[in-house]
Amino acid sequence: MKRVLVLSSAHPWDDERVFGKITKSLSKKYETALCAVADKQFFEVDRVKIFGLPKLPRLKRYKNYLRIIRIINEFKPDIIHFHDPDLLVLSLYFKFFLKKKVIYDVHEDYPLAFKDRRYFPEPFSTMFSIFFNLVEKTISRLLDGVVTVTEDIYSKFKCKNKEVIKNYPVAETFFKEKDSDIYGTLNLIYIGSVSQSRGITNLILAVRSLHELDIRLDIVGPAENQKYFEEIKKYEDEKIKIWGRVPKIDIPGILKSAHVGFVTLLPLLRYKTSLPLKLFEYMAAKVAVVASDFELWRKIIEESDCGILVDPTDIQSICQAILFFYNNRDQVIKKGLNGHKAFMEKYNWAKEEKKLFQFYERIVEY
């Protein structure tokens, strides 16, 4: 049986894509281990060996390289499936010195992300974005395969073996039944990374402006930085709760009582072509959706009839969506059920898992 090491120097070991999908699916066909950020150096979950790495800031992750190489020498994988751009240069060592087959799993359009996040002042952000794009695309052509999460990212890689494996949820992790009370408090929810660019400030301000309504907003997920987390914590009251990071296993239970889910990310380039996991988690949990009116998302929302599109930069537009569902509770149920139907038919992990297996068959034979 072929051995596969799934590798991430940045993601926690229980990351939904890295462990919950890629690693667990591959373990059905191959002897699979995971090397990712964890508090322990070694443990096992669901018969998968997990090698822990210390959590380090981006510029210090090179300090994990020697441990990663030792883990590879210990586990002796045939294939290394890595998830982080900071491992691109090291992947050449895996490929040409250790003679491993290497797959690069691209979670987002990193050149656009680096430009949007402005790690450096202009014009250096643009220059770094161009430089990284050249490095990423050059190295990827030397590897055995590339996996991307969207068609848009897929189109930017010019390599022989590539596949789109979308980050859809696993259907079995969500409850089949929802809490039945739809006519009391309207429960609003946001799940995912928390930052101003993801529309959190505007969402909070919209809810605060509707203080006379019987509504509650739960914001669940880790903040991108502590300063922003402390800033939005000041808005907590009886209608708004800021959870912070919660265990992945708790998400389906939290969604079970939610009525309307928000994915109102601001119109940055990297978001407009993304497929956010939270959108499909809402659909899986029969939660009606309020989403940014981006072309790619519009197609999904309108075809599924599972929610409302808004201008995420306009607080009044968000307020109107909340008021629509508050005054039309039957639409909460209808759009939640419509979203779940579309999820079961098109947007679940089972279909992506089949593509992953077919991709690996090509890699093994390549």
Side-chain angles (χ1 to χ4, degrees):
M1 180 184 286
K2 295 289 185 182
R3 287 187 168 193
V4 178
L5 179 68
V6 180
L7 172 62
S8 174
S9 60
H11 293 82
W13 73 269
D14 61 346
D15 178 84
E16 184 63 28
R17 180 175 178 88
V18 174
F19 177 72
K21 295 165 190 168
I22 299 294
T23 301
K24 293 185 78 170
S25 290
L26 290 174
S27 69
K28 298 175 184 179
K29 297 273 189 177
Y30 306 96
E31 185 177 345
T32 305
L34 170 64
C35 176
V37 175
D39 294 331
K40 300 178 183 178
Q41 288 203 345
F42 178 80
F43 55 104
E44 292 191 24
V45 176
D46 296 337
R47 294 180 293 180
V48 173
K49 294 178 179 178
I50 299 175
F51 299 91
L53 296 174
K55 182 178 181 179
L56 296 173
R58 186 183 301 276
L59 294 179
K60 293 186 178 181
R61 288 177 194 158
Y62 68 90
K63 293 183 178 182
N64 278 327
Y65 286 4
L66 286 179
R67 173 157 172 76
I68 289 169
I69 292 169
R70 285 197 296 268
I71 289 167
I72 291 170
N73 290 333
E74 177 183 342
F75 184 64
K76 296 180 173 58
D78 301 288
I79 301 171
I80 298 173
H81 185 137
F82 76 96
H83 290 260
D84 306 299
D86 51 275
L87 295 172
L88 275 166
V89 174
L90 190 60
S91 73
L92 296 177
Y93 179 80
F94 303 155
K95 173 70 178 172
F96 295 108
F97 288 88
L98 300 183
K99 307 298 181 183
K100 307 297 183 181
K101 291 190 174 181
V102 183
I103 298 167
Y104 176 33
D105 197 316
V106 190
H107 292 204
E108 61 179 309
D109 191 326
Y110 294 112
L112 282 183
F114 291 145
K115 191 173 181 179
D116 280 342
R117 287 170 180 156
R118 298 190 181 278
Y119 292 117
F120 313 103
E122 287 294 358
F124 300 108
S125 282
T126 298
M127 291 169 61
F128 179 75
S129 175
I130 293 169
F131 171 72
F132 178 81
N133 185 59
L134 178 63
V135 170
E136 181 186 49
K137 302 309 186 292
T138 300
I139 292 177
S140 66
R141 285 197 292 269
L142 301 173
L143 304 180
D144 296 279
V146 171
V147 169
T148 71
V149 294
T150 68
E151 283 90 355
D152 182 72
I153 300 173
Y154 174 92
S155 69
K156 297 177 180 180
F157 283 85
K158 311 300 180 186
C159 44
K160 291 182 180 179
N161 287 322
K162 59 180 182 175
E163 185 61 83
V164 181
I165 308 291
K166 293 176 180 174
N167 203 24
Y168 295 151
V170 178
E172 292 76 15
T173 60
F174 290 86
F175 294 99
K176 293 182 179 179
E177 301 298 328
K178 286 189 67 65
D179 291 347
S180 57
D181 184 15
I182 189 66
Y183 294 104
T185 302
L186 186 68
N187 295 322
L188 316 175
I189 194 163
Y190 171 90
I191 286 182
S193 295
V194 174
S195 68
Q196 184 166 352
S197 69
R198 293 173 187 267
I200 300 304
T201 301
N202 287 351
L203 176 57
I204 289 173
L205 293 176
V207 170
R208 283 173 63 87
S209 72
L210 299 171
H211 64 275
E212 75 281 0
L213 301 185
D214 185 9
I215 58 177
R216 173 188 169 88
L217 171 64
D218 290 288
I219 295 176
V220 182
E224 288 193 353
N225 63 72
Q226 186 61 28
K227 182 180 178 182
Y228 185 70
F229 183 75
E230 292 172 358
E231 180 183 324
I232 62 173
K233 262 288 191 180
K234 297 175 183 177
Y235 290 115
E236 266 195 326
D237 57 22
E238 69 279 1
K239 292 184 182 293
I240 299 173
K241 181 175 180 181
I242 314 295
W243 290 61
R245 184 186 294 276
V246 301
K248 302 291 184 185
I249 197 171
D250 293 345
I251 297 298
I254 294 170
L255 284 170
K256 191 170 184 284
S257 59
H259 300 132
V260 183
F262 288 79
V263 54
T264 48
L265 281 62
L266 300 186
L268 301 180
L269 289 175
R270 73 180 190 270
Y271 292 154
K272 287 183 176 181
T273 57
S274 69
L275 287 173
L277 174 62
K278 64 182 71 61
L279 168 60
F280 304 105
E281 287 180 327
Y282 298 153
M283 294 167 73
K286 302 178 184 175
V287 174
V289 176
V290 175
S292 302
D293 190 4
F294 301 157
E295 183 179 357
L296 179 60
W297 300 7
R298 185 187 310 130
K299 182 179 179 182
I300 295 169
I301 300 295
E302 290 183 347
E303 286 184 357
S304 304
D305 189 22
C306 64
I308 293 176
L309 297 161
V310 298
D311 177 355
T313 66
D314 181 2
I315 295 172
Q316 190 57 38
S317 179
I318 299 170
C319 288
Q320 288 171 359
I322 295 171
L323 283 168
F324 173 81
F325 284 119
Y326 188 82
N327 294 322
N328 299 276
R329 302 300 176 99
D330 59 316
Q331 289 296 314
V332 175
I333 299 171
K334 177 185 175 182
K335 293 190 184 295
L337 291 174
N338 288 346
H340 184 261
K341 181 175 183 290
F343 165 75
M344 294 303 295
E345 292 175 353
K346 294 191 287 186
Y347 301 120
N348 64 81
W349 177 249
K351 293 180 180 296
E352 302 308 299
E353 183 181 67
K354 292 177 182 177
K355 289 160 60 179
L356 178 66
F357 291 155
Q358 292 167 358
F359 174 72
Y360 260 73
E361 288 172 6
R362 299 200 303 271
I363 295 296
V364 170
E365 294 169 0
Y366 178 62

